[in-house]
Amino acid sequence: MGELVTLDGFPLSGVTRDGIWKINSLPGWNQRPPVKRNRESRTSGDGSFKTPVFYENRLITINGRLFTKNHDYLHQAEDMLNALGHRGGVKLLVEGHGPTQWATVDPRDSPDLTAVTGNFLQFQIPLEAIDPFKYGESYAVTGNTTDAASLFHRGTVSAWPVVTVSASSSSGYTLTLNGRQVVVTRAIASSSPHEIDFRTGILRVGGSVVTGGLSTANFSPINPGMPQNMSISTGSGSYGSITVRYSDTYI
């Protein structure tokens, strides 16, 4: 597979109408972001109390160069580079450097553009991913009260799914993954599916956030590199189905 780097769908490597794009380096892309945690020192003991490990934003810089067909194309490329992703929330996609991965990025500063000659441009684009994880292939796996959803991903860290539940049950339902249960006591109608984000624990009904609908919220991620099943059970012998959406996840 050849190298392909795109920002908001625009190719920054390969041949385009502007000329020949080359990526020199992508610092921050293949490095793990800095760890952040709230340390609480043991005043009468060694070290600190155990606290969760989280990550800072991922800081990425695209360093590249462009050989344009003529001087006019060089200036057009400068305008394009200044506009790419300027409002943030765009996809940075990298192929040809291991598994295909992407992240959602915002601008961290203005691009640094240097016209070395009339048709040779060097550029540096500083970006920031407020979600420090990188993602790969995405999946939508279905299951029901008879057949569990069979889940697997090829990433390197745990993936958090978003689950859509369709059922008709006045007593709610239970989702089970890796022995952990999420018990939803809110009634569900077939005309109004539920959506549960396992990362945030938020339950939405008809697109709106609802509270008080969970009696047990023991959320589990989908661990990398091993098969897992998510099952649904409903009260009163009613039928329910689920669609589990997630992506290969990397740090």
Side-chain angles (χ1 to χ4, degrees):
M1 179 188 296
E3 178 186 69
L4 176 62
V5 176
T6 65
L7 179 61
D8 198 16
F10 185 84
L12 296 175
S13 60
V15 180
T16 70
R17 63 180 291 274
D18 307 290
I20 302 172
W21 299 81
K22 299 284 187 179
I23 297 297
N24 297 333
S25 62
L26 282 169
W29 183 253
N30 288 319
Q31 291 77 39
R32 190 173 70 181
V35 169
K36 66 176 181 181
R37 64 195 308 185
N38 295 319
R39 302 186 189 277
E40 184 65 31
S41 179
R42 296 178 184 269
T43 55
S44 300
D46 299 320
S48 302
F49 291 100
K50 173 68 175 176
T51 56
V53 174
F54 299 104
Y55 292 97
E56 299 285 357
N57 296 356
R58 181 182 293 275
L59 305 182
I60 308 159
T61 304
I62 304 176
N63 294 310
R65 59 195 189 276
L66 169 65
F67 301 91
T68 61
K69 300 173 183 178
N70 55 48
H71 191 61
D72 285 342
Y73 276 112
L74 183 141
H75 287 299
Q76 291 180 36
E78 287 180 322
D79 288 341
M80 176 60 71
L81 290 171
N82 278 317
L84 277 180
H86 72 104
R87 293 296 186 188
V90 299
K91 179 183 286 189
L92 172 62
L93 175 73
V94 177
E95 295 182 8
H97 292 267
T100 298
Q101 299 174 340
W102 58 270
T104 300
V105 296
D106 299 329
R108 181 159 47 95
D109 206 342
S110 299
D112 184 3
L113 310 176
T114 302
V116 180
T117 69
N119 67 335
F120 175 32
L121 177 71
Q122 292 183 330
F123 60 90
Q124 186 177 77
I125 307 174
L127 301 168
E128 179 176 21
I130 60 174
D131 175 356
F133 293 92
K134 298 181 292 183
Y135 301 95
E137 186 175 352
S138 297
Y139 309 92
V141 183
T142 59
N144 53 56
T145 46
T146 303
D147 298 307
S150 180
L151 311 177
F152 181 87
H153 83 91
R154 295 177 176 81
T156 55
V157 297
S158 299
W160 290 97
V162 175
V163 183
T164 301
V165 181
S166 297
S168 180
S169 173
S170 59
S171 57
Y173 52 91
T174 298
L175 302 176
T176 304
L177 174 61
N178 293 326
R180 299 185 189 178
Q181 290 189 333
V182 176
V183 180
V184 179
T185 55
R186 183 184 177 94
I188 180 171
S190 56
S191 60
S192 186
H194 289 188
E195 181 183 274
I196 305 176
D197 187 330
F198 272 44
R199 182 193 294 271
T200 62
I202 291 176
L203 168 65
R204 288 181 171 85
V205 179
S208 300
V209 175
V210 298
T211 58
L214 305 178
S215 67
T216 303
N218 196 2
F219 293 101
S220 171
I222 303 169
N223 298 314
M226 56 186 297
Q228 293 136 89
N229 293 323
M230 180 182 290
S231 62
I232 177 174
S233 59
T234 56
S236 307
S238 58
Y239 178 84
S241 65
I242 55 176
T243 300
V244 187
R245 293 180 171 83
Y246 60 99
S247 300
D248 295 339
T249 305
Y250 307 84
I251 190 63

Coordinates of all heavy atoms in Angstrom, one line a residue, residues 158-205:
S158 N -8.6 -0.7 24.4 CA -10.1 -1.0 24.5 C -10.9 0.0 23.7 O -10.6 1.2 23.6 CB -10.5 -0.9 26.0 OG -9.9 -1.9 26.7
A159 N -11.9 -0.5 23.0 CA -12.9 0.3 22.2 C -14.2 0.4 23.0 O -14.7 -0.6 23.5 CB -13.1 -0.3 20.9
W160 N -14.7 1.6 23.0 CA -16.0 1.9 23.7 C -17.1 1.9 22.6 O -17.1 2.8 21.7 CB -16.0 3.2 24.5 CG -15.1 3.1 25.6 CD1 -13.8 3.5 25.7 CD2 -15.4 2.6 26.9 NE1 -13.3 3.3 27.0 CE2 -14.2 2.7 27.7 CE3 -16.5 2.0 27.5 CZ2 -14.2 2.2 29.0 CZ3 -16.5 1.5 28.8 CH2 -15.3 1.7 29.6
P161 N -18.1 1.0 22.8 CA -19.2 1.0 21.7 C -20.3 2.0 22.0 O -20.5 2.4 23.2 CB -19.7 -0.5 21.9 CG -19.5 -0.8 23.3 CD -18.2 0.0 23.7
V162 N -21.1 2.2 21.0 CA -22.4 2.9 21.1 C -23.4 1.9 20.7 O -23.3 1.3 19.6 CB -22.4 4.2 20.2 CG1 -23.9 4.7 20.3 CG2 -21.4 5.2 20.7
V163 N -24.4 1.6 21.5 CA -25.3 0.5 21.3 C -26.7 1.1 21.1 O -27.2 1.9 21.9 CB -25.3 -0.5 22.5 CG1 -26.3 -1.6 22.2 CG2 -23.9 -1.0 22.8
T164 N -27.3 0.7 20.0 CA -28.7 1.0 19.7 C -29.6 -0.2 20.0 O -29.3 -1.3 19.5 CB -28.9 1.4 18.2 OG1 -28.1 2.5 17.9 CG2 -30.4 1.8 17.9
V165 N -30.6 0.0 20.8 CA -31.5 -1.1 21.3 C -32.9 -0.8 20.7 O -33.5 0.2 20.9 CB -31.5 -1.1 22.8 CG1 -32.4 -2.2 23.3 CG2 -30.1 -1.2 23.4
S166 N -33.4 -1.9 20.1 CA -34.8 -1.9 19.6 C -35.6 -3.0 20.3 O -35.2 -4.2 20.2 CB -34.9 -2.1 18.1 OG -34.2 -1.0 17.4
A167 N -36.6 -2.6 21.0 CA -37.4 -3.6 21.7 C -38.7 -3.0 22.1 O -39.0 -1.9 21.9 CB -36.7 -4.1 22.9
S168 N -39.6 -3.9 22.7 CA -40.9 -3.4 23.2 C -41.0 -4.1 24.6 O -41.3 -5.3 24.7 CB -42.0 -3.8 22.3 OG -43.3 -3.4 22.9
S169 N -40.7 -3.4 25.6 CA -40.6 -4.0 26.9 C -41.0 -2.9 28.0 O -40.2 -1.9 28.1 CB -39.3 -4.6 27.2 OG -39.2 -5.0 28.6
S170 N -42.0 -3.1 28.8 CA -42.4 -2.1 29.8 C -41.4 -2.2 31.0 O -41.4 -1.2 31.7 CB -43.8 -2.4 30.3 OG -43.9 -3.7 30.8
S171 N -40.7 -3.2 31.1 CA -39.8 -3.4 32.3 C -38.3 -3.2 31.9 O -37.4 -3.4 32.7 CB -39.9 -4.8 32.9 OG -39.7 -5.8 32.0
G172 N -38.0 -2.7 30.7 CA -36.7 -2.4 30.3 C -35.9 -3.6 29.8 O -36.5 -4.6 29.3
Y173 N -34.6 -3.6 29.9 CA -33.8 -4.7 29.4 C -32.4 -4.7 30.1 O -32.1 -3.7 30.8 CB -33.6 -4.5 27.9 CG -33.2 -3.2 27.5 CD1 -31.8 -2.9 27.4 CD2 -34.1 -2.1 27.3 CE1 -31.4 -1.6 27.0 CE2 -33.6 -0.9 26.9 CZ -32.3 -0.6 26.8 OH -31.8 0.6 26.5
T174 N -31.6 -5.7 29.8 CA -30.3 -5.8 30.3 C -29.3 -6.1 29.2 O -29.5 -7.0 28.4 CB -30.2 -6.9 31.4 OG1 -31.1 -6.6 32.5 CG2 -28.8 -7.0 32.0
L175 N -28.2 -5.4 29.2 CA -27.1 -5.6 28.3 C -25.9 -6.2 29.0 O -25.6 -5.7 30.1 CB -26.7 -4.4 27.5 CG -27.7 -3.6 26.7 CD1 -27.1 -2.3 26.2 CD2 -28.3 -4.5 25.6
T176 N -25.3 -7.3 28.5 CA -24.2 -7.9 29.2 C -23.0 -8.0 28.3 O -23.1 -8.5 27.1 CB -24.6 -9.3 29.7 OG1 -25.7 -9.2 30.5 CG2 -23.4 -9.9 30.5
L177 N -21.8 -7.5 28.7 CA -20.6 -7.6 28.0 C -19.5 -7.9 29.0 O -19.3 -7.2 30.0 CB -20.3 -6.3 27.2 CG -19.0 -6.2 26.5 CD1 -18.8 -7.3 25.4 CD2 -18.8 -4.8 25.9
N178 N -18.7 -8.9 28.7 CA -17.6 -9.3 29.6 C -18.0 -9.5 31.0 O -17.2 -9.1 31.9 CB -16.4 -8.3 29.4 CG -15.8 -8.3 28.1 OD1 -15.7 -9.3 27.4 ND2 -15.4 -7.1 27.6
G179 N -19.2 -10.0 31.2 CA -19.6 -10.3 32.6 C -20.2 -9.1 33.3 O -20.7 -9.2 34.4
R180 N -20.1 -7.9 32.7 CA -20.7 -6.7 33.3 C -22.1 -6.4 32.7 O -22.3 -6.5 31.5 CB -19.7 -5.5 33.1 CG -18.3 -5.7 33.6 CD -17.6 -4.4 33.5 NE -16.2 -4.6 33.8 CZ -15.3 -3.6 33.7 NH1 -15.6 -2.4 33.2 NH2 -14.0 -3.8 34.0
Q181 N -22.9 -5.9 33.6 CA -24.3 -5.7 33.1 C -24.7 -4.2 33.2 O -24.3 -3.5 34.1 CB -25.3 -6.5 34.0 CG -25.2 -8.0 33.8 CD -26.3 -8.7 34.5 OE1 -26.9 -8.2 35.5 NE2 -26.7 -9.9 34.0
V182 N -25.4 -3.8 32.2 CA -26.0 -2.5 32.2 C -27.5 -2.8 32.2 O -28.1 -3.3 31.2 CB -25.6 -1.7 30.9 CG1 -26.4 -0.4 30.9 CG2 -24.1 -1.5 30.9
V183 N -28.2 -2.4 33.3 CA -29.6 -2.7 33.5 C -30.4 -1.4 33.2 O -30.2 -0.4 34.0 CB -29.9 -3.3 34.8 CG1 -31.4 -3.5 35.0 CG2 -29.1 -4.5 35.1
V184 N -31.2 -1.4 32.2 CA -32.0 -0.2 31.9 C -33.5 -0.5 32.3 O -34.1 -1.4 31.9 CB -32.0 0.1 30.4 CG1 -32.9 1.3 30.0 CG2 -30.6 0.3 29.9
T185 N -34.0 0.3 33.3 CA -35.3 0.2 33.8 C -36.3 1.0 33.1 O -37.5 0.7 33.2 CB -35.3 0.5 35.3 OG1 -34.8 1.9 35.4 CG2 -34.5 -0.4 36.1
R186 N -35.9 1.9 32.2 CA -36.8 2.7 31.5 C -37.5 1.9 30.4 O -36.9 1.1 29.7 CB -36.1 3.9 30.8 CG -37.1 4.8 30.1 CD -36.3 5.9 29.3 NE -37.1 6.8 28.6 CZ -37.6 7.9 29.0 NH1 -37.4 8.3 30.2 NH2 -38.4 8.7 28.2
A187 N -38.8 2.0 30.3 CA -39.6 1.2 29.3 C -39.1 1.6 27.9 O -38.7 2.8 27.7 CB -41.1 1.5 29.4
I188 N -39.2 0.7 27.0 CA -38.8 0.9 25.6 C -39.9 0.5 24.7 O -40.5 -0.6 24.9 CB -37.4 0.2 25.3 CG1 -37.0 0.5 23.9 CG2 -37.5 -1.3 25.6 CD1 -35.6 0.0 23.5
A189 N -40.2 1.3 23.7 CA -41.2 1.0 22.7 C -40.5 0.7 21.3 O -39.4 1.3 21.1 CB -42.2 2.1 22.5
S190 N -41.1 -0.1 20.5 CA -40.5 -0.5 19.3 C -40.3 0.7 18.3 O -39.5 0.8 17.4 CB -41.3 -1.6 18.6 OG -42.6 -1.1 18.4
S191 N -41.2 1.7 18.5 CA -41.1 2.9 17.7 C -40.1 4.0 18.2 O -39.9 5.0 17.5 CB -42.5 3.6 17.6 OG -42.9 3.9 19.0
S192 N -39.5 3.7 19.3 CA -38.5 4.7 19.9 C -37.3 4.0 20.5 O -37.2 3.7 21.7 CB -39.2 5.5 21.0 OG -38.4 6.5 21.4
P193 N -36.3 3.6 19.6 CA -35.2 2.9 20.1 C -34.4 3.7 21.1 O -34.4 5.0 21.1 CB -34.4 2.7 18.8 CG -35.3 2.9 17.7 CD -36.3 3.9 18.2
H194 N -33.6 3.0 21.9 CA -32.6 3.6 22.8 C -31.2 3.6 22.2 O -30.9 2.7 21.5 CB -32.6 2.9 24.2 CG -33.9 3.0 25.0 ND1 -34.0 2.6 26.3 CD2 -35.1 3.6 24.7 CE1 -35.2 2.8 26.7 NE2 -35.8 3.5 25.8
E195 N -30.4 4.6 22.7 CA -29.0 4.6 22.3 C -28.2 4.8 23.5 O -28.4 5.8 24.3 CB -28.7 5.6 21.3 CG -27.3 5.7 20.8 CD -27.0 6.8 19.8 OE1 -27.2 6.6 18.6 OE2 -26.5 7.9 20.3
I196 N -27.2 3.9 23.8 CA -26.4 4.0 25.0 C -24.9 4.1 24.5 O -24.4 3.3 23.8 CB -26.5 2.8 25.9 CG1 -28.0 2.6 26.3 CG2 -25.7 3.0 27.2 CD1 -28.3 1.4 27.1
D197 N -24.3 5.2 25.0 CA -22.8 5.4 24.7 C -22.1 4.8 25.9 O -22.1 5.3 27.0 CB -22.5 6.9 24.6 CG -21.1 7.2 24.1 OD1 -20.2 6.3 24.5 OD2 -20.9 8.2 23.5
F198 N -21.3 3.7 25.7 CA -20.7 3.0 26.8 C -19.5 3.9 27.3 O -19.0 3.6 28.4 CB -20.2 1.7 26.3 CG -21.2 0.6 26.5 CD1 -22.5 0.8 26.2 CD2 -20.9 -0.6 27.1 CE1 -23.5 -0.2 26.4 CE2 -21.8 -1.6 27.3 CZ -23.1 -1.4 26.9
R199 N -18.9 4.8 26.5 CA -17.8 5.6 27.0 C -18.3 6.6 28.1 O -17.7 6.8 29.1 CB -17.1 6.3 25.9 CG -15.9 7.2 26.3 CD -15.5 8.1 25.2 NE -14.9 7.4 24.1 CZ -13.7 7.1 23.9 NH1 -12.8 7.3 24.9 NH2 -13.3 6.5 22.8
T200 N -19.4 7.3 27.7 CA -19.9 8.3 28.6 C -21.0 7.9 29.6 O -21.3 8.6 30.5 CB -20.5 9.5 27.8 OG1 -21.6 9.0 27.0 CG2 -19.4 10.0 26.8
G201 N -21.7 6.7 29.3 CA -22.8 6.3 30.1 C -24.1 7.0 29.8 O -25.0 6.9 30.6
I202 N -24.1 7.7 28.7 CA -25.3 8.5 28.4 C -26.4 7.7 27.7 O -26.0 7.0 26.7 CB -25.0 9.8 27.6 CG1 -24.2 10.8 28.4 CG2 -26.2 10.5 27.0 CD1 -23.7 12.0 27.7
L203 N -27.6 7.8 28.1 CA -28.8 7.1 27.5 C -29.6 8.2 26.7 O -29.9 9.2 27.3 CB -29.6 6.4 28.5 CG -31.0 5.9 28.1 CD1 -30.9 4.8 27.0 CD2 -31.8 5.4 29.3
R204 N -29.8 7.9 25.5 CA -30.6 8.8 24.6 C -31.9 8.0 24.1 O -31.8 6.8 23.7 CB -29.9 9.3 23.4 CG -28.8 10.3 23.8 CD -28.1 10.9 22.6 NE -27.2 12.0 22.8 CZ -26.0 11.9 23.3 NH1 -25.5 10.7 23.4 NH2 -25.2 12.9 23.5
V205 N -33.0 8.7 24.2 CA -34.2 8.1 23.6 C -34.8 9.1 22.6 O -35.0 10.3 23.0 CB -35.3 7.9 24.7 CG1 -36.6 7.4 24.1 CG2 -34.7 6.9 25.8

